Amino acid sequence: MTKVSKIYADWVAVDWGTSNLRCWVLSSNKVVHYANKPLGMINLDQNSYENTLISELDQFLNPRKKTMITANDHIGDAPEISGSPQLIVTRCAAQ
């Protein structure tokens, strides 16, 4: 029986715009997962940002270490989370 090893992200790039959420999961400098979903900031309420990001990335986050997530500048532009864009990234990475 072949053992399949789990791929964890070395880091993640997130482009979370008004109409779409795009994520690139990288491991060993290669994209191992890409998502482009209609989960933009106008389509979500302020309490669902964190859960949306975690549900998209959870399978790639190593529970034994923090994963760097780089996000675009527009995350802080959403009035619901203005002033705390790093909170989303930090909580997701710590899961």
Side-chain angles (χ1 to χ4, degrees), residues 70-92:
T70 302
N72 67 331
D73 291 338
H74 296 293
I75 287 179
D77 292 344
E80 297 85 359
I81 59 171
S82 182
S84 61
Q86 297 301 314
L87 182 62
I88 293 173
V89 174
T90 302
R91 284 186 180 173
C92 181

Side-chain angles (χ1 to χ4, degrees), residues 16-21 37-45 49:
W16 207 337
T18 303
S19 56
N20 290 302
L21 168 64
K37 297 186 176 181
L39 298 172
M41 299 217 170
I42 63 170
N43 300 322
L44 302 171
D45 67 68
Y49 294 127

Side-chain angles (χ1 to χ4, degrees), residues 5-6 13 21 30 34 38 40 50 61-62 64 71 76-77 94-95:
S5 61
K6 186 165 176 72
L21 168 64
K30 294 180 182 176
Y34 169 73
E50 180 181 357
L61 300 177
N62 186 337
R64 294 190 175 112
D77 292 344
Q95 289 293 322

